[in-house]
Amino acid sequence: MAFSHPSLLFLFLTFLLMQTLGDAATCSTCFTQSRAAYYPNSDEQGTETGRCGYGPFGATLNGGDVSAASDLYRDGVGCGACYQVRCTNSYYCSDKGVMVVVTDHGSSHQTDFILSRRAFARMAQTTYAATSLIALGVVDIEYRRYPGQNITIKINENSNSPHYLAFVIRYQQGKKDITAVQLCETHNFVCKLLDRSYGAVWTTSSPPSGPLSVRMLFSDDDGDETWLTPVNNIPEDWKPGSTYDSGVQVNL
């Protein structure tokens, strides 16, 4: 391609630059550089007292591959989000890294993640390399949001039908965050907006009756919003402590 006039060449180069910057800004597969540590008092798995509201279940969620987050916690909006985290030292670290779920808030040594000891070790190529990573304590990493399992809903043990319902949402995927939740009666689609108690805990008094559909609002920093209704419903005879599979993974 030949340009007969300098201004045409300038316009063409400006277009290419703007397109490149736009692609970078909307890249859903790009990694962000950061650092990660691990819970120093962790035997292997996560904590049972995390600020996302998962309780004892938070220690074994995702097989124990969990993490506390600092800025990514965002007053609980980041709870339940899935991330691929991999360390960058090619001598010790695998290309795959580890998929973790945010279950807590915390930071250490300018880190974005404090992983469970199990998850920290799983970034390594081998068992020997994992021992070396653990000895380092803090490592350079890169991370990105990552599709994990189906979004699931766990009913809080303090729930009491028909007077009170509380649940946590886990395995939040995609680039957007869950910023609002509605609970809807499936036979007439009358919906009730829930309160975010803290972390990933959503609550309501006098919940709707019958099988219940959970509508989730996914939002990003640019103000783009999408309502999503899962395939599966919470059954009419829901029980405290039970877990229900939504039937959907989200890539919004």
Side-chain angles (χ1 to χ4, degrees):
M1 180 183 296
F3 293 90
S4 58
H5 196 283
S7 62
L8 293 178
L9 176 60
F10 175 76
L11 289 173
F12 178 71
L13 293 176
T14 301
F15 170 77
L16 287 180
L17 177 61
M18 292 178 65
Q19 185 178 43
T20 301
L21 291 175
D23 290 344
T26 59
C27 178
S28 62
T29 59
C30 296
F31 284 90
T32 299
Q33 307 298 311
S34 186
R35 289 160 62 81
Y38 65 91
Y39 284 103
N41 59 343
S42 168
D43 293 331
E44 280 294 330
Q45 299 170 330
T47 176
E48 296 186 358
T49 58
R51 288 178 60 185
C52 285
Y54 292 117
F57 182 68
T60 58
L61 178 63
N62 195 40
D65 290 337
V66 295
S67 179
S70 53
D71 292 344
L72 297 172
Y73 176 78
R74 287 165 294 133
D75 293 326
V77 174
C79 287
C82 303
Y83 290 91
Q84 180 185 8
V85 181
R86 62 188 190 188
C87 52
T88 57
N89 186 323
S90 60
Y91 186 75
Y92 298 125
C93 304
S94 69
D95 292 334
K96 182 179 179 181
V98 63
M99 194 279 284
V100 298
V101 178
V102 174
T103 60
D104 195 8
H105 175 254
S107 62
S108 174
H109 302 288
Q110 297 181 324
T111 63
D112 273 316
F113 294 92
I114 303 179
L115 305 174
S116 64
R117 186 184 181 100
R118 166 190 164 91
F120 196 87
R122 292 191 66 192
M123 293 190 295
Q125 299 178 24
T126 64
T127 302
Y128 172 79
T131 302
S132 299
L133 279 185
I134 293 294
L136 290 173
V138 181
V139 295
D140 293 327
I141 62 153
E142 53 187 16
Y143 69 89
R144 63 181 175 183
R145 288 287 281 268
Y146 193 72
Q149 305 178 42
N150 287 354
I151 289 178
T152 58
I153 295 167
K154 185 178 187 298
I155 308 297
N156 189 288
E157 285 78 1
N158 295 325
S159 297
N160 180 21
S161 178
H163 307 293
Y164 175 74
L165 175 60
F167 57 77
V168 292
I169 297 175
R170 60 187 188 184
Y171 302 127
Q172 177 179 312
Q173 307 115 8
K175 299 289 287 185
K176 296 181 180 180
D177 297 304
I178 298 174
T179 55
V181 174
Q182 289 183 334
L183 203 57
C184 306
E185 296 182 3
T186 56
H187 64 278
N188 59 15
F189 215 65
V190 173
C191 297
K192 184 175 185 178
L193 188 65
L194 305 190
D195 298 317
R196 184 194 292 273
S197 177
Y198 70 98
V201 182
W202 297 89
T203 66
T204 184
S205 57
S206 301
S209 60
L212 300 174
S213 175
V214 179
R215 295 184 73 224
M216 296 171 282
L217 179 64
F218 288 81
S219 308
D220 62 19
D221 293 336
D222 297 326
D224 186 28
E225 297 181 337
T226 304
W227 281 99
L228 181 140
T229 302
V231 176
N232 298 331
N233 298 320
I234 297 176
E236 182 175 7
D237 60 343
W238 56 264
K239 299 292 190 300
S242 298
T243 300
Y244 301 105
D245 188 334
S246 71
V248 296
Q249 293 189 20
V250 179
N251 190 24
L252 297 173

